[in-house]
Amino acid sequence: MNRPKHIAIIMDGNGRWAQARKLPRVIGHREGINRVREIVRAAPDLGIKVLTLFAFSSENWNRPKKEIEALMRYFHDFLDNEVKDLDKNNIKVLFIGRNDPLTEEIQKKMRAAEEKTMGNTKMTLVFALNYGSRQEIVDAVKDFAHLAVKNKVKIESLDEEFFGRFLYTSNLPDPDLLIRTSGEIRVSNFLLWQLSYAELYFVKKCWPDFKKEDLKEAVEAYSERKRRFGGIDAK
Ligand code: IPE
Ligand code: IPE
Ligand code: MG
């Protein structure tokens, strides 16, 4: 069976899940964290080597202050409570996104989680936190330009592979499969460069309803796809 090695997920629909139950939106986020735990546990058995989860976008700062505060508290608690277990399960944790304006405290916990788990090999779990793909590309161009003006890199040396090394995702393979929950059919500034040839998979279910069986279904759907990368099917 042809399985995706790297799955990226836009975990969307927490707010609508809660609203449909006449609950506050933050309850949807809280339930969403239970799905993160479940999906992370199930992923390695499906052959997934890298799992990237979109947790908070650079545009999510446009939300009401109260909701942002609740989300930050959940990230904080997640880092406090889950990293030990992830480490025990041989999972390497990474974060992509800009640091500012995340609090010093959260940033410290993120770095500590990365350091603690950096030798782990079962699966790499990437959290896109305060992540925006256009920002990432702009940051990469700036980093390259800084080196170029100091004559540390040659402009002619820039190609796709080299450019990729300036992205937050350097050292990670491109996603094979992108999953988005909640029925929205868009990428919302997520991994624009890296998703060039990813298979896209949209499900109606909101993230708090996305169970390990749903992940398995997505993996099976992927295995039926024919990826051509611009070529033609091999006979
Ligand atoms: C995804 O769910 C979680 C984050 C963006 C942090 P939403 O909060 O976007 O839920 P909906 O899309 O409003 O239902
Ligand atoms: C994308 O969802 C970001 C995350 C899931 C973290 P949004 O809910 O922010 O996306 P839009 O605003 O509907 O495009
Ligand atoms: Mg949403």
Side-chain angles (χ1 to χ4, degrees), residues 35-43 207 210-212 215:
R35 289 297 86 66
V36 169
R37 232 178 262 122
E38 177 175 340
I39 294 304
V40 169
R41 291 238 161 85
W207 176 251
F210 192 83
K211 302 278 176 64
K212 57 176 189 280
L215 181 68

Side-chain angles (χ1 to χ4, degrees), residues 12-13 16 63:
D12 197 15
R16 277 167 284 161
R63 296 191 176 201

Side-chain angles (χ1 to χ4, degrees), residues 11-14 16 25 63 180 182 184 186:
M11 309 183 288
D12 197 15
N14 292 349
R16 277 167 284 161
R25 290 176 55 87
R63 296 191 176 201
R180 182 171 189 150
S182 89
E184 306 296 359
R186 52 175 174 263

Side-chain angles (χ1 to χ4, degrees), residues 54 56-59 96-98 128-139 168 188-192:
F54 203 1
F56 193 86
S57 79
S58 48
E59 289 74 32
I96 56 170
R98 277 190 187 164
L129 185 50
N130 190 22
Y131 174 88
S133 188
R134 287 186 167 186
Q135 287 189 345
E136 175 185 36
I137 292 168
V138 168
D139 286 348
Y168 309 150
S188 299
N189 202 16
F190 190 44
L191 301 173
L192 300 178

